[in-house]
Amino acid sequence: IKRSKKGEFSYRSSNEITVFNFKKEVYKTTIDKLTPLQKIAPAAEVYDYLKSEDFFNVSDVYDDEKAYKIVAIRFLLYMNRYNQYTPVTVAMDISDESVAAIKEAANELPGANIETDSMRKYRYSPYLSSIIGYTGIISEEEKEQLNVDLDNDSKYYGNEVIGKTGLEQRYENILRGKSGSKTIYVDNMGRILQEDENAVKESKAGNDIYLTIDAELQKTCYETLEKHLAGIILKYFQNTNVKTKTKPINITTTEVFFALFNNNLLDINHLNSKKASSTEQKIYNSINSSKKKKLTTIKNELLKKRTRESSLSDEYQNYMLYIYKFLCDSNVIKASDIDSNDATYQKWKNDEISLGEFIEYSIHMSWIDNSEFKLSTDYYDTDEMMSALVDYVDDRLNDDEEFSKMILEYLIDDGKVSGKECCLVLFDQGILNEDKDPDYENLKAGMISAYDFMYKKIKNLEITPADLALDPCSGSIVITDVNTGKVKALVSYPSYN
């Protein structure tokens, strides 16, 4: 189970069998004996059960993030309950101070050991990442698949590292070596008492692969492509927030400043953190104030006004479309149950009735799953259910990151959040360094405009096309040796480290 920044829980895998395998461990049963409710239990419900006194009994004194980490570690330990000598990794890449503290307190921390391990070090990353890929700890699903054709000496057993994507994955069987083993004697706390020197099997390194790729050429191609894309953005980047409808279509200041948040270069959640700067707090307050007004209007539209979509402003048309998609993605509206030939559905699709009217009709047709929102009684009429659903939408949108981003875009477009404020947050969140940037003081003092500042940063590739994810932000280059057909460069932009 993973936890988002907003504190929402979801399953890491979309594979039903993988989730069932996880649930059988939680509910201490077999897949075929999972109850219907256990099979459909959402991640949040399963997490609450693991955290409860019926399972790990995690104290309420911990904040949500720490409680989640405690449950995660205890579950790893729980999964090793029949094999207690298999180590569980609690933390990686810890500081020298932590190493010293743990070793000094060895008698007070039975079972806690420090181990040194090797890590992949990729040179020329991110230029080669799309080719090479990366490695990670093997999952139970991958272990099952890979072990099918392997003999006992070659099988994967523990938390081994395998190739996940790219050449790392494609040539896993060649790059992988042979695991070693040793026999040890331990006490009841798992502390090593003795090693059997006669029962040691040495590990063997895997094979090497040599590519036809020229690393320097690959790097040059990547950087050339990035500069070319930045040049296209700058060509169409105009000091206006008005979008042209005729060719050539310009890139507006609103699009560029909003892209910093929309592509998560800037963290919108940090605006309300304890470490938020005064500029961040100001932007957050603007979003929060605007959100309250928007949600009141949306609630009124869904319950009372019932305005057809085409008669709403572009902004509220987007909000209504987002709400419908959000309800479908949350399975509150059971999209698969909707009869696409239904006359009322067609009226909504043809903009003859409002979203509120269609949702009310969906309640009547049992296309709505009311298990997600609370009702005061098991017996309810359409009005009560509609009111509860709108309250649910109001509550969820209030904490929804994407909805906050939508509001921020309109605030930037209206000038209520300025381009200067967005640029200053680049320094507040450590994307740019105010001590090393000669433009910081000029921007702060208003001696350089936000447009000129951003134009310069894109030109210098301090803010890259990948950072903005505007159109265009992607491209590729392939270079082959015409005499041999060997691939000398294979570049995909943007990439990752």
Side-chain angles (χ1 to χ4, degrees):
I1 293 175
K2 60 183 176 182
R3 180 180 181 272
S4 70
K5 290 180 180 178
K6 296 181 292 179
E8 294 177 348
F9 297 94
S10 59
Y11 295 112
R12 293 187 182 275
S13 174
S14 57
N15 184 290
E16 188 179 68
I17 299 301
T18 303
V19 174
F20 284 172
N21 274 322
F22 166 65
K23 287 182 176 180
K24 78 176 183 184
E25 298 293 343
V26 173
Y27 295 113
K28 302 171 186 174
T29 185
T30 56
I31 290 179
D32 58 314
K33 289 184 179 178
L34 286 169
T35 68
L37 287 176
Q38 287 171 343
K39 285 183 177 179
I40 64 170
E45 184 180 308
V46 177
Y47 170 76
D48 286 341
Y49 174 61
L50 287 170
K51 186 186 170 188
S52 73
E53 60 183 18
D54 294 328
F55 215 102
F56 292 135
N57 194 22
V58 178
S59 172
D60 290 335
V61 302
Y62 300 110
D63 62 39
D64 292 340
E65 187 176 354
K66 190 166 286 186
Y68 168 74
K69 289 178 179 178
I70 290 170
V71 171
I73 291 170
R74 288 188 184 177
F75 190 78
L76 285 171
L77 294 166
Y78 172 76
M79 290 298 289
N80 273 350
R81 62 196 182 280
Y82 300 123
N83 187 18
Q84 293 181 23
Y85 306 129
T86 301
V88 170
T89 301
V90 174
M92 296 178 69
D93 197 23
I94 63 175
S95 66
D96 292 340
E97 290 79 9
S98 292
V99 172
I102 292 167
K103 286 186 174 180
E104 285 172 7
N107 291 333
E108 300 165 41
L109 299 170
N113 300 310
I114 305 289
E115 290 189 6
T116 304
D117 204 354
S118 58
M119 292 180 69
R120 278 277 200 271
K121 174 71 175 177
Y122 293 110
R123 296 187 65 206
Y124 291 94
S125 182
Y127 313 113
L128 287 162
S129 59
S130 60
I131 302 173
I132 294 174
Y134 57 87
T135 61
I137 294 173
I138 192 169
S139 68
E140 290 299 319
E141 202 175 339
E142 289 167 328
K143 198 180 294 183
E144 200 173 296
Q145 292 171 352
L146 290 169
N147 281 342
V148 171
D149 300 319
L150 299 178
D151 57 47
N152 287 333
D153 288 338
S154 302
K155 285 186 186 297
Y156 294 85
Y157 290 104
N159 292 331
E160 296 173 73
V161 173
I162 64 166
K164 294 284 186 176
T165 63
L167 296 177
E168 289 278 22
Q169 181 186 49
R170 174 65 180 81
Y171 293 105
E172 166 66 19
N173 61 328
I174 293 174
L175 293 166
R176 183 197 181 203
K178 292 275 187 181
S179 296
S181 66
K182 60 183 178 181
T183 300
I184 60 174
Y185 299 92
V186 299
D187 63 15
N188 64 339
M189 301 303 294
R191 288 178 292 219
I192 298 173
L193 300 175
Q194 184 183 345
E195 291 188 18
D196 188 343
E197 295 179 1
N198 298 317
V200 176
K201 179 182 174 184
E202 295 295 335
S203 58
K204 293 181 181 178
N207 295 304
D208 293 329
I209 289 177
Y210 295 88
L211 309 182
T212 59
I213 299 293
D214 181 325
E216 289 295 339
L217 180 61
Q218 179 87 1
K219 179 174 181 286
T220 300
C221 287
Y222 186 92
E223 291 172 345
T224 302
L225 186 56
E226 186 169 62
K227 288 176 186 174
H228 184 66
L229 289 167
I232 297 172
I233 290 172
L234 293 175
K235 180 180 178 182
Y236 295 105
F237 182 25
Q238 302 295 315
N239 191 11
T240 177
N241 65 347
V242 180
K243 187 77 175 174
T244 58
K245 294 183 179 179
T246 57
K247 291 185 178 181
I249 295 174
N250 63 336
I251 296 172
T252 67
T253 50
T254 297
E255 288 176 294
V256 171
F257 296 133
F258 176 60
L260 299 173
F261 289 95
N262 197 39
N263 196 38
N264 299 315
L265 180 66
L266 293 178
D267 182 2
I268 196 168
N269 293 304
H270 194 271
L271 300 178
N272 190 37
S273 71
K274 292 178 181 177
K275 296 182 179 179
S277 67
S278 58
T279 304
E280 289 178 291
Q281 290 170 3
K282 184 181 175 185
I283 295 174
Y284 171 78
N285 290 335
S286 296
I287 295 171
N288 210 32
S289 175
S290 180
K291 187 186 292 181
K292 287 177 181 177
K293 295 175 184 175
K294 308 292 183 192
L295 287 174
T296 299
T297 303
I298 288 168
K299 199 169 184 176
N300 191 43
E301 274 294 342
L302 292 173
L303 289 173
K304 296 176 182 177
K305 287 189 73 175
R306 305 285 175 86
T307 309
R308 287 186 305 164
E309 186 180 310
S310 59
S311 298
L312 294 168
S313 65
D314 288 346
E315 180 179 358
Y316 279 92
Q317 285 183 39
N318 287 334
Y319 292 152
M320 291 301 168
L321 285 172
Y322 182 75
I323 288 167
Y324 178 72
K325 182 178 181 300
F326 160 75
L327 290 173
C328 289
D329 290 345
S330 303
N331 291 319
V332 172
I333 293 179
K334 296 181 283 187
S336 58
D337 290 353
I338 295 175
D339 178 6
S340 58
N341 295 316
D342 181 90
T344 305
Y345 174 74
Q346 286 298 324
K347 278 186 178 181
W348 176 65
K349 291 292 285 184
N350 294 329
D351 195 32
E352 295 173 36
I353 61 173
S354 68
L355 177 61
E357 289 169 293
F358 173 66
I359 291 174
E360 195 168 78
Y361 179 75
S362 297
I363 293 171
H364 175 71
M365 295 297 291
S366 299
W367 294 341
I368 299 288
D369 178 5
N370 67 352
S371 62
E372 284 291 326
F373 43 96
K374 303 290 185 290
L375 290 160
S376 57
T377 174
D378 290 336
Y379 305 98
Y380 45 84
D381 59 24
T382 302
D383 288 342
E384 288 172 324
M385 193 166 169
M386 183 68 185
S387 180
L389 187 148
V390 171
D391 285 342
Y392 167 81
V393 168
D394 183 80
D395 184 56
R396 292 299 298 272
L397 289 186
N398 195 49
D399 295 324
D400 186 76
E401 185 177 307
E402 290 307 311
F403 185 64
S404 295
K405 285 181 179 179
M406 290 177 76
I407 289 173
L408 176 59
E409 182 175 14
Y410 288 107
L411 289 172
I412 294 171
D413 198 50
D414 293 339
K416 293 175 182 176
V417 170
S418 68
K420 176 182 174 181
E421 288 169 336
C422 295
C423 293
L424 287 172
V425 175
L426 287 167
F427 294 98
D428 295 334
Q429 295 195 8
I431 308 302
L432 300 175
N433 189 327
E434 61 187 67
D435 295 327
K436 296 180 179 179
D437 196 313
D439 297 318
Y440 173 71
E441 292 297 338
N442 290 336
L443 175 69
K444 198 174 177 182
M447 295 173 66
I448 181 174
S449 71
Y451 168 79
D452 289 336
F453 175 86
M454 189 57 65
Y455 191 99
K456 186 175 181 180
K457 296 306 168 190
I458 296 170
K459 185 177 181 181
N460 294 340
L461 294 176
E462 293 172 77
I463 302 294
T464 67
D467 291 332
L468 298 172
L470 293 169
D471 187 16
C473 70
S474 60
S476 59
I477 294 176
V478 181
I479 295 180
T480 57
D481 186 322
V482 292
N483 297 311
T484 63
K486 289 180 179 179
V487 180
K488 307 302 289 181
L490 186 70
V491 174
S492 179
Y493 184 94
S495 187
Y496 57 94
N497 189 327

